[in-house]
Structures are given as structure tokens and as C-alpha cells.
Amino acid sequence: MISPGSDLRTAMPATKPAQQTPTVWNNSMKQRLTPNYDHKKLADPSCADLMDVFEDAWKGYILDRRARGERRPETFDFLGFTHYCAKSRSGSFVLGRKPVGKRVERTLGRVKAELRRRMHRNPYEVAKWLGKVMDGWLRYYAVPTSFPSLTRFEFRLRILWLRAMRRRSQMDRTRLEKLGKYAAASWPPLKILHPWPEQRFRRQRPEVGAPCVNAHAGICAGGAG
């Protein structure tokens, strides 16, 4: 089995995919990824999606760890995200992603220092600046399964802003409700901006023979020719 974070090159067939038919290469990948699990599915020619094979391999790996009394597989960091094993609402395997903790702390540290510098400025101006910070954070980290992390980041951002406001004077009584009015007018709403990886992969790799939607510009958006 392939453990999380291991080198996938050990599971790749020795022959290049270009030298094999898609069916032969797909079956070779299935045999390497699932040597001990769900052999009935391997024999099914309709199982052409390797995403199902990866899911079965991960499920088998997790069951083995539970049988040995071990915890869930270790996480790993890549491209600013911490990848971990999760479950969807239907109970199927999902590769969860959330911002790396060290990067979150580093960003909040920079925001804290800048809030100290902008402490006596107009709250509306500070709210607009924090809105730009939040917008940049969402544009990169607003991926599926990361919504709880985004909510915590926004809450910690408001707490830092509240503490900076209250440091202006010992008599300051600014409350979160008041800052929430400023944020509502300048901050972007919390929502997932990026699709699931398999949806992005299918959109970036159109099927052979797909029509050209930009034929008038001389640019083919998909298909042959």
C-alpha cells in the first residue's frame, strides 16, 4: 500500500503512459494501488476512474491502521495547505485541505504589527485595508473542506482589530458588534471560491472531440485540430 506523503513514483508503471493504451495503463495503476482490496472492482471494466481506486486504497489503508490500534494517517504540508484524511457527508473518503498553521500565525503576526501602526486611523479606512487582506486570503485558501479554517481566521482577525482599537485609550469601550458593522461594509463574504480538484481537472482537460467555443477568434478551446 501507499502511505500518505510517500513517493508516488514507486507506484507508477515502468512503461510511460504514451507507450501504453489507456486501458492497459489504467489497469496497471489499479493493480499497483490496490493489491489487497476490492479485487471485484478491479475486474469490472466499467471502473475507469482512478479516483475510485485511490479512494478504495485510502479506505483500506485507514482500516489497517485502525486494526493495529493506530490513529488516522499523518498529515503533510504542500503549497501552503495541510492535507489530511476526511470524510464527506455521505461517508466517502475526502482529501481535506486547510491552511498551514505556521502560515496562519505568520500572517496574523504581520496584521497585528500593521494594526498597531494604523491604530489611530479612521476605522472605515482600517476596515477597507483588512477587507483587502481577507480577500487575498480567500482567493488562495477558499477551497472545499477549508471553510472552518476560514471562519477561525476571520474571527481571529476581528479579535486582533478589537485589541488594537482598545489600546488607543484606557477608556475605550469598542465592542465586536461595532467592528462587525465596519466589516460588513468592506469585507468579502465567507464562501468557497475554488471547485473540487476533480472538477477542475475535468474542466482543464476537455474530452477529445469537444467543440471549439472560440472559433471566431481562431483559438480552439478543446478537441482536436
Side-chain angles (χ1 to χ4, degrees):
M1 293 302 299
I2 302 174
S3 60
S6 61
D7 195 346
L8 284 177
R9 289 177 296 180
T10 58
M12 297 295 289
T15 308
K16 296 181 179 180
Q19 300 175 359
Q20 298 177 333
T21 63
T23 303
V24 173
W25 186 80
N26 219 1
N27 292 336
S28 178
M29 284 292 294
K30 293 176 185 178
Q31 294 175 1
R32 291 171 181 266
L33 289 172
T34 55
N36 301 316
Y37 303 100
D38 206 357
H39 291 283
K40 294 181 180 180
K41 200 167 188 178
L42 294 179
D44 185 6
S46 63
C47 178
D49 191 358
L50 281 177
M51 294 298 294
D52 296 335
V53 181
F54 276 108
E55 181 177 340
D56 293 340
W58 274 98
K59 285 182 179 179
Y61 178 73
I62 294 175
L63 290 177
D64 282 350
R65 294 182 65 91
R66 289 180 180 176
R68 295 194 299 265
E70 300 178 1
R71 300 180 62 184
R72 65 171 60 187
E74 295 79 5
T75 63
F76 66 94
D77 298 340
F78 184 65
L79 294 178
F81 289 95
T82 296
H83 298 69
Y84 61 95
C85 294
K87 287 184 179 180
S88 64
R89 296 180 180 178
S90 60
S92 59
F93 165 76
V94 173
L95 180 62
R97 292 179 293 171
K98 61 182 180 180
V100 176
K102 293 182 179 179
R103 186 162 296 189
V104 173
E105 297 299 331
R106 183 175 59 191
T107 302
L108 291 176
R110 294 176 178 174
V111 171
K112 180 180 179 180
E114 185 64 21
L115 285 174
R116 290 288 301 273
R117 194 178 69 85
R118 298 172 180 252
M119 184 167 45
H120 297 286
R121 295 192 181 183
N122 191 313
Y124 288 100
E125 179 184 346
V126 179
K128 291 182 179 180
W129 173 74
L130 288 175
K132 294 180 180 180
V133 174
M134 196 65 198
D135 181 70
W137 189 265
L138 292 177
R139 287 180 181 274
Y140 189 82
Y141 289 109
V143 300
T145 71
S146 71
F147 192 81
S149 300
L150 300 177
T151 304
R152 289 193 295 269
F153 181 83
E154 184 191 41
F155 177 75
R156 294 183 63 182
L157 208 61
R158 296 194 183 199
I159 294 298
L160 289 178
W161 188 15
L162 177 65
R163 291 176 179 175
M165 294 284 288
R166 289 184 174 180
R167 288 181 67 92
R168 298 183 302 176
S169 171
Q170 294 181 354
M171 303 299 294
D172 192 288
R173 294 295 183 267
T174 305
R175 301 178 63 87
L176 275 176
E177 291 77 6
K178 184 176 181 181
L179 297 183
K181 296 180 180 179
Y182 297 142
S186 305
W187 292 19
L190 281 181
K191 60 180 180 180
I192 301 300
L193 302 179
H194 300 282
W196 290 90
E198 56 268 23
Q199 296 175 353
R200 184 188 300 274
F201 180 79
R202 293 192 182 100
R203 185 170 67 245
Q204 292 178 352
R205 294 178 176 270
E207 298 179 358
V208 176
C212 298
V213 297
N214 294 332
H216 63 281
I219 300 176
C220 182

